[in-house]
Structures are given as structure tokens and as C-alpha cells.
Amino acid sequence: MKRVLKPIVFYISYFGLSFLSVLLLTTGFRHPNLSVFSREYVDWLTSLIGDLGIFLFFFFFAWLVFKSTRRRINFLTTVSIIFSVICLGVAAFANVFSLGFSFVQLDSFQNPTQIKFILYYAKYVINFIINPPQIYYFIPIIAILIIRRLTDTSLHQHFSIYIKLISLLLTLVLIVFPFLSYEQNRKGTIFEYTLNPLYASSKVGVINYYFYDLYSYLAGKDSPMTDLEKQQIEEYLQKYEGDCFVNFIDNNNYCKTNSYTNLANGKNLVIIQVEALNEFVVDLKVNGVEITPNLNRLKQESLYFNNFYSSAGIGNTSDTEFSTMTSLYGNGNELTIIASHGENYHTLAKDFKQKDYYTFSLHGNIGEFYNRKEKHIKTLGFDRHYDKWDFIERSDKELNLVHDWINDKDFLSISVDIFEEIDKPFFAYPITVVSHAPYVPSKEVPANKLNLGKSITNLSRNYLEHIHYFDEALGIFLNKMEASGLLDNTVIVIHGDHTSSLFKKDIEGILDKKLTDIEYRQIMQKVPCLIYAKGLIDPGIDSSVHSTVDLYPTMANLFGLDYQYRFGVDMLSDEPTYVYSPRSLDIFFDDFIYIYPTKKVIKLKNNINDEKITQLIQHFEYQKRMNDLILNKKYFA
């Protein structure tokens, strides 16, 4: 191939194609799960300056280190490709998790067996690239390789070493300047105590941010709580300590006690948290096959919440456990149970213990995963955690494992055996696991068992097979509870923990309709929740918005517990509330949805005006900032 381009053409292309990679990411092009942050002119300018500083740094570094044009261009080609791969990786991560990648998330690999999910995440990256097609991310890579091939590297240019050094130092000013502006401007915002990667990238530049994030992660320095921050937290907590409150949405007065107070006193409570159970599977039929028949039947005898959302951040299941027990949100960017653990949280389990209940959690994985064996006791306040080995020891047969976990049928069946051994009221928290990704067929969950037809994707089919398997396990559990005589004396709560991470195409195939990006995001964040309390709570459908943070005050009031803080809302009351996703910062009200990064409002009812929306979002900003301040400074440590 004839080399027809001068080196100057390559150098210009290096800058242009590097910026193209960044723009593909920051504009959110074809990313239904990625909310790009709306930016003012100054934000575009500072982010441009930040990334330009990085691009210039490597450019002048190449001139300083390499004397030949060929080596210099080869180095810059490699650097440009790395920039493109970083942007592609962040886009893939955001598409799966609705959150930008941060190096602090590598703490998840403190979990034994978590390394197994690397292949699963790699599979999702591949799916992201080819479904929907993301070929445009490869345009900068292919273009820089072609231009490199066409560049005549025999031509040489020279600058004095002083010019190279001075230029290199000047680029550091461009790199640092956006961070000075960013650190000043985020004070008093919801990002003051949580460094949201997508937000930070929009202010300081994508590549620039990730160099800073890597440095911050390796430095690992936490700032201590100041006297002012402690005062702010205590003033915030005082607002949630009283018996009655003025609700900020409708300005009406609501109290902790209502007609449901203490109705379940002395009864058992079982909260079953189901892995990756999205709400759309309830009452779903595919190719004539009912996916969740047992859950559907139980729903008819329960109070069912069809507008219930996950509060999980990057911690997924463990974040949901934390929110369910404490009524606090995780910050979205960190594994809350690891980053913000402490022995002084007020939790549902601790409140039950004060009433002489036996409290315990159960999971089919090893107790070291998310360090549940310790954190469920010290942070969440349970008397005991039953893990994989406890179930194996209790079984008189060899248990079939799914992805090395106890299968849900044996898990829930043996859980009932444990219930029967307890001689006083108990609070049990079984956390199922089989419907955890990857949705790979196994002996317990064979492929194509349900004959769901060919109109849905393989990923959708495998997911629904795993959900149906859980439903069969639920049927076994309910039958055994009834046979043991426990069912009539037990309140049962069932809720999903987080999204199934299916792609938009998968959901459209299952529901047989096209979805807007907002509809898809809402469906993927919505999980089912029901309360079965025979003789205490009338069956029905409740369409008011709620999330897992509301389970603590609801159960505390129903069982007459003495609880100090009421962060969430009692779901059995008429009190309005809102919920938000710590990942995506989508905010759900009864009357509207607010996409915080883009400031987009989707009105669901016409009775809400713009002034009221502004007031409600300001309240959200205050609540999230204080929530994250409590976690960041380990106030309850």
C-alpha cells in the first residue's frame, strides 16, 4: 500500500478520532440505558479542555520519548485505540448497569466466586456490541489503523527539547483546570458525596476522568466527618424521628400509626427476595405458557403493588438487602454493604429482636459472598445467616446445584424445615438465587422445557425458564408451609431485587410491542411486590409508587415494632411518596417521571405543574445528598 499521507495528517487524525470516540459515548447515541447529563456551554468547554489536555499530554510525550516518526506514530496509534476501547467499555458497562464504570466497583471482586462473573459480563459486552449493532465504536479504531498505514513515516520533524518539555507541562494545566471547577461546583449537590462517573465525565472529560478515578481508587483516602457535616446529618435525622409528619408532596399530616398498626403482632414474617424478578413476568403468558402460575395465584390472595421499583445500585442484590433492612438507599456507585458497613444502623431485624423474635437470613451461596456471614449479623442485625453449607448439611440427599448455588426448590423447602424448628415467633429473610444471570441451561433448568416458541430471543427464553423454575419452587414452598401449619400464622412478602439486565430487543419480543427508551427503562427498573397476610390485609392492587426502602416502615408498623427513623413510607397508608434509582437517577412519582441527568419530565397526569415539579426535585436533591452523606461519612459505623 502506497504511503501518501504526511505525518501532520496522522497527527490531526489522532486528535479528531480520539474526540469522536468520546462524543459517541457522551452523546448517549443509541444507549437506552445510558442517561447523558444535560450540559451548559461551560460544561462542554471544560470537558473538551480536560480531554484535550490528555490527548496533548500523550502527543507531546511521544515527541519527547521517541526520536523516529515511525515509533512516535505507532505509539499514538496504540494510545488512540486505547481511548476508543475505554469509551466502548464504559458504554457497554452503562448499558448493562445503567451506571458509568468507576474503579471503586472493582471492590466487588472481594467476593469469593465473583470472578466467575467476568465471563458473564464479557458475554454482555459482546451482546452490546452486536445487539444492537455498535459498529460505530470501531470506526475510530479502523480509521486510525488505515491512516497509520497510509502515513509516510520516513518524513521527520524536530522540536527542541525545551519546547517539548514546556508543552508537556502546559498540558497538565489543561488536565487539572476542569477538576478545580468541578470540585467547586459539585458542593451542595447530590454529587458532593457520590462521584457519579457519567456526571463527572460530562464535566471534566471522559478520558481525563478515568485517569483521575484510577488515581483516586489507588490512593483510597477517606475524608473524616466534619462537625458541620455531623450537625447536618443530625438535623436531617431529627425530621424522621417524630410520630407524625407533614408530607412534602401533598402537605398533609401522616402518622406512624394507622388502622394496620400492630395487626400482625406475634405472627411470623417471611420476606422472600427473588433474584432478578422483573414485574412484567407476573401474569405473563408466552406462546400460551403461563410463566409464574404460583405467583399469580398468590397475588390473588395478597395486596399486590404493581408500581414497585428496585432501589439497587451497583451492589445489585446486596444493595437491595441493605435498603430493605435500613430504609436507606445505597449511593449507586459502591457496594454499600462493604463501603458503608457499620454496627449502629437501625434495621428491621434489630427491631424484631427487641420484640424477642428469632431473626435470620438465608441464601444458597456461600456466606463469604458479599460477606453475608458477617455483614448480615453486624450491619443488618440478624441473629444468624444460613448459607450454602448449612443447607447441604441439613439435606439427607445430594443437592443439585445451579451455577454452584443451592437450587431454589431445595433452598425454599429446607427453609421451611428450619422454620419448623423454631419455638418462638421469627423473622426469616430467604434470598433466592437461581434466576441470577447468567441464564444458562442446566440439569435443574433445562433448555426449552416450556416450549415458548421462536418469537423471542434465546436470552429471553432462558430468563423466563429460570423465572418459571423459581415459580415452581414457590409452589413447593407454599404447599409445605400450609402442610406444616405455618402458613396461617405467617405474613409473607415477596419482591424482586433488581433488573434482569435483558436488552430492549428481548423485552420487545416478550411483550410483542415496540417500546420507547423511557418505557424500556421503567419496565426494567420495576419489580413485583406483594404482601400475603390472610385475615389481616384484604387482597387487591395498589398502583401507588413504592420501592424496597418502604418495606421497613410498612412491616414495622404492621408488627407493632418500636422503630426510630421512618425514612420510607408505610405502604399500607395513603401517604404519597417517590422513589429513585441510585444507578440511573430516574425518579418515579405517581404523577410524573423525572430523568435527572437530562432534566426530562414525563407527565403521567395533567394535574401536576412545573413549579410543583421543581419543588419536588429540590426535595429529592436534599434527600439524596443527606442519604449519601450518612453513608460516605459512616455515621452509623
Side-chain angles (χ1 to χ4, degrees), residues 308 330 446-447 593:
F308 191 89
I593 300 171

Side-chain angles (χ1 to χ4, degrees), residues 259-271 297-305 352 357 477-478 481 486-494 529-540 551 554-555 557-559 570-572:
S259 59
Y260 292 95
T261 301
N262 208 30
L263 277 187
N265 181 30
K267 289 185 177 290
N268 307 311
L269 173 63
V270 178
I271 297 180
R297 282 192 290 272
L298 185 63
K299 170 194 164 189
Q300 299 304 315
E301 303 177 56
S302 307
L303 179 59
Y304 181 71
F305 298 88
F352 268 111
Y357 272 61
F477 171 81
L478 293 173
M481 285 287 287
L486 286 169
L487 189 60
D488 289 340
N489 196 42
T490 302
V491 174
I492 297 176
V493 176
I494 298 177
C529 178
L530 63 80
I531 302 175
Y532 172 85
K534 191 173 182 180
L536 302 180
I537 301 175
D538 293 332
L551 288 171
T554 305
M555 293 301 107
N557 182 53
L558 183 63
F559 283 84
D570 183 352
M571 296 159 59
L572 299 176

Side-chain angles (χ1 to χ4, degrees), residues 348-382:
L348 183 60
K350 290 179 181 178
D351 291 346
F352 268 111
K353 286 168 65 174
Q354 290 180 358
K355 221 172 180 185
D356 198 31
Y357 272 61
Y358 180 56
T359 66
F360 55 100
S361 60
L362 314 95
H363 197 281
N365 204 341
I366 59 175
E368 289 77 16
F369 197 83
Y370 284 130
N371 205 5
R372 287 188 176 97
K373 204 78 172 177
E374 175 187 333
K375 302 306 181 186
H376 274 218
I377 308 302
K378 292 185 177 181
T379 297
L380 301 186
F382 288 100

Side-chain angles (χ1 to χ4, degrees), residues 505-612:
K505 179 181 179 180
D506 302 314
I507 302 299
E508 289 177 334
I510 292 173
L511 301 181
D512 193 25
K513 65 177 182 180
K514 290 291 183 181
L515 300 171
T516 66
D517 287 351
I518 297 299
E519 288 172 333
Y520 166 67
R521 288 160 66 105
Q522 184 178 16
I523 286 171
M524 294 308 291
Q525 294 177 79
K526 190 181 290 188
V527 296
C529 178
L530 63 80
I531 302 175
Y532 172 85
K534 191 173 182 180
L536 302 180
I537 301 175
D538 293 332
I541 304 292
D542 189 320
S543 297
S544 56
V545 65
H546 287 290
S547 84
T548 48
V549 297
D550 297 325
L551 288 171
Y552 182 175
T554 305
M555 293 301 107
N557 182 53
L558 183 63
F559 283 84
L561 307 181
D562 182 17
Y563 61 110
Q564 183 170 355
Y565 301 117
R566 198 195 68 161
F567 297 120
V569 165
D570 183 352
M571 296 159 59
L572 299 176
S573 74
D574 296 326
E575 183 176 1
T577 188
Y578 72 93
V579 301
Y580 67 89
S581 166
R583 291 182 178 184
S584 64
L585 296 180
D586 295 344
I587 312 170
F588 301 96
F589 290 82
D590 287 322
D591 297 338
F592 68 98
I593 300 171
Y594 190 86
I595 311 302
Y596 191 84
T598 61
K599 312 302 181 188
K600 183 175 182 179
V601 178
I602 300 96
K603 291 186 179 181
L604 306 177
K605 299 177 183 178
N606 294 324
N607 62 342
I608 186 78
N609 59 55
D610 293 341
E611 182 180 356
K612 182 64 174 179

Side-chain angles (χ1 to χ4, degrees), residues 183-458:
E183 290 295 337
Q184 182 64 33
N185 292 334
R186 72 174 178 142
K187 290 181 179 179
T189 73
I190 66 172
F191 305 108
E192 182 172 359
Y193 299 103
T194 302
L195 189 60
N196 184 289
L198 295 178
Y199 174 78
S201 298
S202 71
K203 303 294 183 181
V204 304
V206 175
I207 308 300
N208 192 22
Y209 163 75
Y210 278 104
F211 277 97
Y212 169 80
D213 187 51
L214 178 60
Y215 164 76
S216 299
Y217 177 68
L218 295 176
K221 295 180 180 179
D222 293 326
S223 58
M225 179 167 51
T226 66
D227 290 339
L228 177 60
E229 289 170 337
K230 184 177 181 181
Q231 179 184 345
Q232 290 176 337
I233 291 173
E234 291 175 348
E235 289 175 354
Y236 173 76
L237 293 177
Q238 286 176 3
K239 298 179 181 179
Y240 295 90
E241 286 185 300
D243 291 329
C244 295
F245 311 84
V246 175
N247 184 274
F248 66 93
I249 294 179
D250 63 2
N251 294 319
N252 291 329
N253 198 54
Y254 295 90
C255 297
K256 282 185 175 181
T257 58
N258 54 39
S259 59
Y260 292 95
T261 301
N262 208 30
L263 277 187
N265 181 30
K267 289 185 177 290
N268 307 311
L269 173 63
V270 178
I271 297 180
I272 302 178
Q273 181 171 297
V274 186
E275 180 66 44
L277 181 67
N278 276 129
E279 201 275 336
F280 70 83
V281 303
V282 179
D283 292 326
L284 175 69
K285 287 187 177 181
V286 178
N287 199 33
V289 178
E290 189 176 11
I291 303 301
T292 58
N294 293 298
L295 185 60
N296 297 343
R297 282 192 290 272
L298 185 63
K299 170 194 164 189
Q300 299 304 315
E301 303 177 56
S302 307
L303 179 59
Y304 181 71
F305 298 88
N306 65 357
N307 202 17
F308 191 89
Y309 293 86
S310 168
S311 58
I314 194 63
N316 278 338
T317 302
S318 68
D319 274 5
T320 304
E321 295 162 18
F322 179 84
S323 292
T324 300
M325 289 301 110
T326 67
S327 203
L328 290 166
Y329 287 89
N331 68 20
N333 196 44
E334 297 176 291
L335 292 172
T336 311
I337 200 67
I338 293 176
S340 303
H341 63 89
E343 298 185 12
N344 297 311
Y345 283 98
H346 298 264
T347 75
L348 183 60
K350 290 179 181 178
D351 291 346
F352 268 111
K353 286 168 65 174
Q354 290 180 358
K355 221 172 180 185
D356 198 31
Y357 272 61
Y358 180 56
T359 66
F360 55 100
S361 60
L362 314 95
H363 197 281
N365 204 341
I366 59 175
E368 289 77 16
F369 197 83
Y370 284 130
N371 205 5
R372 287 188 176 97
K373 204 78 172 177
E374 175 187 333
K375 302 306 181 186
H376 274 218
I377 308 302
K378 292 185 177 181
T379 297
L380 301 186
F382 288 100
D383 288 309
R384 180 172 177 179
H385 175 70
Y386 292 87
D387 73 350
K388 170 182 176 179
W389 306 118
D390 292 307
F391 285 88
I392 291 175
E393 288 176 5
R394 285 175 169 272
S395 178
D396 57 2
K397 64 177 183 179
E398 183 176 353
L399 301 179
N400 290 327
L401 304 181
V402 179
H403 311 313
D404 204 36
W405 310 315
I406 304 295
N407 70 79
D408 286 351
K409 292 180 180 178
D410 287 326
F411 171 73
L412 289 177
S413 178
I414 296 174
S415 292
V416 179
D417 295 338
I418 294 173
F419 301 167
E420 290 184 286
E421 297 173 1
I422 302 169
D423 58 3
K424 64 178 183 179
F426 63 83
F427 165 37
Y429 189 30
I431 304 163
T432 70
V433 70
V434 165
S435 47
H436 194 299
Y439 311 118
V440 178
S442 61
K443 180 179 179 181
E444 283 289 311
V445 193
N448 299 319
K449 176 184 176 182
L450 295 182
N451 188 24
L452 298 177
K454 298 181 179 180
S455 61
I456 60 175
T457 65
N458 286 332

